[in-house]
Amino acid sequence: MRATGVVVVAAVLAAGCFSRGEAGRSSADPPAGGEPPASGPPPDPRQPSGPIPPDVEVPASLLPVEAGVATSDRPCAGGWCWWNFPRGAPVRSMWGSGPSDVWATTTLGGMLHWDGAAWSAEWLGVAREPGGIPLYVGFDLRDVWGKSAAEAWTADPLTLLRWDGTRWTRQARGGVFTQGSISSSDGVAWTGTWSCAFQRFDGTVAETFACPEGYAGDVYGVWAAGIDDVFGVTLPWEGLRAGVNTRAVAVVRRRGGSWSEWRLGGGLVRLPDGLGSISGSAPDDVWASALSPPQAGSRAREPFRSTEPTVWRFDGAEWWPQDASISGPVFVATRGDVWVGEHHLADGAWSEVADAPDRVLWAAGAHDVWGMRTDDVSGALYHWNGERWTPRAHLGGELRVIDRNLAPADEAWVLAPTEDGGAELVSWDGATWVRVSGSRLPASEVGLLYTATYGSSASDVWLAHRDGYLHWDGVRWTPTRVDRSAASAWDPRYRALREKLTGTGATDAWASNEAGVFHWDGERWTGRGSPGEVHAIWTPRPGLLFALGFAVTPIQGDPPYEAVLQLVIWRWSDGGWSEELRGGTECRALTARDSSWERGAMWGATPHDAWALIGEVAYRWDGSRWAGTAGPTYPVRCIFGTGADDVWAVPTSRWNHDPMNRFRWDGRSWERAEMPVGLMCGSGAWVSHHGGLWRRAP
């Protein structure tokens, strides 16, 4: 391997750690922003793998809508259309008018409905028109509440929607609905806003009511007792001034044009996040908690213990504190039946229930209660029958589009969640989705999977796993392991972001992780060392691998491990590593958790046409060399496409909230492109989404 650029590193150290050099180029490269290199020779012929045989038809609840033109149930944006996988997004809230009419909201626009027999899905979004091009953005639906089968409401922070028994329609826009919290009563929806205010909407007129003076915190939870009677949990000024982790707890009530206000607990209560929740069965049976419900997909938080009360009950005249040991988000199932975390009030006494979920979502009665656990990756809904909690429907889990290096764009495999919390391979054969027989993984294994995947055929699929790599050979999953003893001592904690997979066939697969780079020859993994900090890998043919990342020179030997990093593309061939080129330098505290650990991606349309993107630097492979060229202006975490003139780049999570931060290569240049918010990574014509799949329009 060549010298490691000591002169360049020394110059950076002399100039100061946070100087940044110009993106480097090989001596033969054109200036950055110049014309891309000429196309190489025609791609080598590829042996088509063929579709997976339709061993088992996918049940109706899993099938996407029929092929054809876009409909209201399948919105299209920028050439991408939503396909209806009803599972794959964690449930955020739940409400029903009865056992056979239940709504559940999911992240980024997914709305699920239970009719007593099966779950169905609908994507709710809004059309934006940047540059005159329609763009669907999924609503961030955080709460749902209603009165009957013909009246339900849901909200995201900027939008209110109403169900009239037939369809969801947008009712209001432009307001600010804090946390999307919503409650309704007699045809009226109440929401809480930022800076302490309530909004009331009757389907025609939206009214805003500011809290009394002395309150500036958000209204974190609302409960409507009537058309003109609403309670909310908020923070007084002194709580805001006291510090990030110290909050006063307050409840305000607006009834008939008058305000009532209460400071609960007699002072400041130290909280982990400073939010709150409120629930009730009648105006004289309202419960408030200083703790908010945890959000789906969030990290499980430690049980909160306090020496002061954090839960109170309102009897119509006064608020009564509960014992300090009763702590958690509150939900009232019926009068006299209340859940506070794992604590349950029934028959006048509190008890601690084993295996209780950390969030109760909805109750049809004291013996028909539904909840969820935020740390359950399967997205299971748990049901209380009056005696015990049991997992029922598994509506969450992550959809993983299997990476198909150099494969036809119209073939696709997805690792899809199953109803028992596991996952299985599902294949697209060009017309429909079919299950891959025998490919089901149990929930215990799914919870150990990372996001990296690769597959070359129906009998060669790889999944990155906490204990190694799982391999599907067409008949069964087989666990394989690699030697991780060479993991760098200073390597950061974010191991999942370092896992990468690629390959060209059943006897040629590559993996990179925090311990180095490894090659699979059809029988075993063999270590190939570690040329540096690898962020992406790609192979155009057997015997040749490219790795994109940084050469690292630590400046300090103790945390935070500040270091100089220089961009490098390495090449593995002829049994060893060499450098293809070196780029710019930068400094970073290696323990800092930011988007830098997921930046960097490589992808090829053919063995002679590939891209390497890292930071805001782009390089293109023409079959013989990498050359610098203009690229996307945001850090990228993945690249995929349907061909050499249809390549898509998805930004890191820091920039993924804006639908205009996606970029597309059309064969001439990288340009901003319209894609729905929340799209993850994909392969070929398919891309995963928190609420399902999107497909590139033919």
Side-chain angles (χ1 to χ4, degrees):
M1 189 168 172
R2 290 185 218 162
T4 56
V6 174
V7 174
V8 175
V9 172
V12 172
L13 290 173
C17 184
F18 287 93
S19 63
R20 180 169 181 137
E22 179 186 359
R25 299 181 294 272
S26 63
S27 59
D29 290 348
E35 292 296 319
S39 300
D44 295 337
R46 297 190 301 270
Q47 296 297 325
S49 60
I52 297 175
D55 298 309
V56 183
E57 287 289 338
V58 177
S61 61
L62 256 182
L63 287 174
V65 292
E66 293 77 17
V69 298
T71 68
S72 59
D73 291 331
R74 191 203 295 165
C76 295
W80 292 90
C81 296
W82 185 75
W83 288 69
N84 183 15
F85 267 69
R87 294 194 297 274
V91 171
R92 274 189 157 176
S93 63
M94 189 174 178
W95 174 86
S97 66
S100 60
D101 177 42
V102 181
W103 294 98
T105 67
T106 67
T107 53
L108 299 173
M111 177 68 80
L112 305 177
H113 183 256
W114 172 258
D115 63 4
W119 288 96
S120 60
E122 183 175 356
W123 188 83
L124 302 179
V126 60
R128 289 177 47 186
E129 295 192 359
I133 301 176
L135 170 63
Y136 278 88
V137 180
F139 292 126
D140 189 8
L141 304 175
R142 302 187 183 184
D143 203 0
V144 60
W145 204 257
K147 180 177 177 59
S148 67
E151 182 188 330
W153 302 80
T154 187
D156 83 344
L158 297 175
T159 307
L160 186 67
L161 298 98
R162 184 181 187 183
W163 172 258
D164 61 7
T166 303
R167 61 177 181 171
W168 288 97
T169 56
R170 196 177 187 195
Q171 300 292 300
R173 58 178 298 178
V176 182
F177 305 98
T178 294
Q179 311 298 334
S181 181
I182 189 170
S183 185
S184 64
S185 177
D186 299 322
V188 169
W190 285 94
T191 65
T193 78
W194 292 324
S195 300
C196 200
F198 294 90
Q199 289 187 323
R200 181 176 65 183
F201 192 76
D202 63 5
T204 304
V205 178
E207 301 174 275
T208 300
F209 307 99
C211 294
E213 292 186 6
Y215 299 91
D218 304 347
V219 176
Y220 295 106
V222 296
W223 183 76
I227 293 177
D228 199 18
D229 190 1
V230 65
F231 293 79
V233 180
T234 187
L235 305 176
W237 268 113
E238 61 265 30
L240 292 174
R241 290 197 299 264
V244 175
N245 292 321
T246 305
R247 295 289 186 258
V249 181
V251 173
V252 293
R253 180 187 189 184
R254 187 185 188 279
R255 180 175 60 170
S258 301
W259 289 95
S260 301
E261 51 190 288
W262 299 270
R263 309 292 177 93
L264 303 182
L268 299 179
V269 178
R270 191 166 183 80
L271 301 176
D273 49 22
L275 303 183
S277 55
I278 192 166
S279 181
S281 66
D284 61 350
D285 182 40
V286 184
W287 292 74
S289 172
L291 297 181
S292 66
Q295 290 299 313
S298 63
R299 182 180 301 175
R301 62 190 182 197
E302 294 296 323
F304 177 67
R305 307 302 181 200
S306 174
T307 57
E308 300 179 67
T310 58
V311 177
W312 300 265
R313 177 181 180 269
F314 183 65
D315 63 4
E318 296 183 56
W319 288 92
W320 298 92
Q322 305 301 299
D323 188 271
S325 64
I326 308 300
S327 179
V330 63
F331 185 89
V332 178
T334 62
R335 182 183 290 271
D337 195 280
V338 181
W339 289 91
V340 178
E342 70 275 15
H343 304 282
H344 183 214
L345 174 65
D347 300 323
W350 287 100
S351 62
E352 191 167 342
V353 180
D355 298 324
D358 54 6
R359 180 177 182 182
V360 173
L361 297 169
W362 174 69
H367 296 169
D368 189 6
V369 185
W370 294 84
M372 60 169 288
R373 293 175 180 163
T374 53
D375 59 349
D376 188 334
V377 297
S378 72
L381 291 178
Y382 289 79
H383 182 256
W384 171 259
N385 63 2
E387 297 182 357
R388 64 182 61 87
W389 286 98
T390 55
R392 295 288 288 273
H394 291 75
L395 301 177
E398 182 181 352
L399 286 161
R400 294 176 173 88
V401 178
I402 306 299
D403 182 32
R404 305 288 316 285
N405 184 34
L406 305 174
D410 57 351
E411 294 181 11
W413 302 315
V414 171
L415 189 68
T418 56
E419 294 180 356
D420 61 359
E424 64 185 344
L425 288 173
V426 182
S427 169
W428 174 255
D429 64 5
T432 189
W433 289 98
V434 293
R435 280 177 169 154
V436 179
S437 179
S439 67
R440 179 167 293 202
L441 285 169
S444 58
E445 291 294 323
V446 172
L448 302 178
L449 294 178
Y450 294 144
T451 57
T453 65
Y454 162 68
S456 69
S457 72
S459 58
D460 182 39
V461 177
W462 289 95
L463 305 176
H465 187 277
R466 189 187 68 179
D467 297 327
Y469 300 94
L470 291 180
H471 183 238
W472 171 255
D473 62 6
V475 178
R476 65 181 61 85
W477 290 102
T478 302
T480 66
R481 297 181 184 275
V482 297
D483 181 6
R484 298 183 183 272
S485 60
S488 300
W490 51 261
D491 200 72
R493 296 166 293 169
Y494 314 112
R495 171 178 166 183
L497 299 176
R498 299 292 299 275
E499 295 282 351
K500 307 293 179 182
L501 284 164
T502 189
T504 62
T507 60
D508 182 44
W510 292 85
S512 69
N513 55 48
E514 83 286 0
V517 178
F518 300 85
H519 180 255
W520 174 263
D521 61 5
E523 296 183 0
R524 65 183 60 85
W525 289 102
T526 303
R528 300 305 190 196
S530 178
E533 181 188 298
V534 175
H535 283 238
I537 55 176
W538 175 73
T539 175
R541 58 177 173 79
L544 177 61
L545 177 77
F546 293 106
L548 173 67
F550 294 101
V552 180
T553 304
I555 298 174
Q556 300 176 6
D558 298 318
Y561 306 119
E562 188 173 313
V564 176
L565 287 78
Q566 186 169 29
L567 188 153
V568 183
I569 295 180
W570 295 279
R571 175 191 186 109
W572 171 273
S573 62
D574 301 324
W577 290 101
S578 61
E579 290 182 2
E580 283 287 299
L581 59 83
R582 277 183 172 254
T585 58
E586 65 175 88
C587 290
R588 190 191 318 145
L590 295 181
T591 56
R593 185 174 188 177
D594 57 33
S595 61
S596 62
W597 290 113
E598 62 175 350
R599 68 178 177 176
M602 305 181 82
W603 179 81
T606 74
H608 307 281
D609 190 350
W611 289 93
L613 306 178
I614 190 164
E616 299 174 14
V617 182
Y619 297 95
R620 193 178 186 191
W621 170 255
D622 65 0
S624 61
R625 67 188 181 101
W626 291 94
T629 185
T633 57
Y634 288 97
V636 168
R637 66 171 166 181
C638 68
I639 320 169
F640 61 95
T642 61
D645 58 355
D646 185 40
V647 184
W648 293 79
V650 177
T652 59
S653 57
R654 177 178 295 182
W655 306 102
N656 202 13
H657 63 281
D658 189 335
M660 293 304 294
N661 285 348
R662 286 92 174 119
F663 289 82
R664 176 177 180 259
W665 172 262
D666 61 5
R668 298 180 300 275
S669 62
W670 286 98
E671 302 290 345
R672 289 178 181 270
E674 295 76 25
M675 292 179 74
V677 170
L679 291 186
M680 308 298 282
C681 296
S683 182
W686 296 89
V687 60
S688 62
H689 182 274
H690 289 297
L693 291 176
W694 289 69
R695 185 191 185 198
R696 191 82 170 111

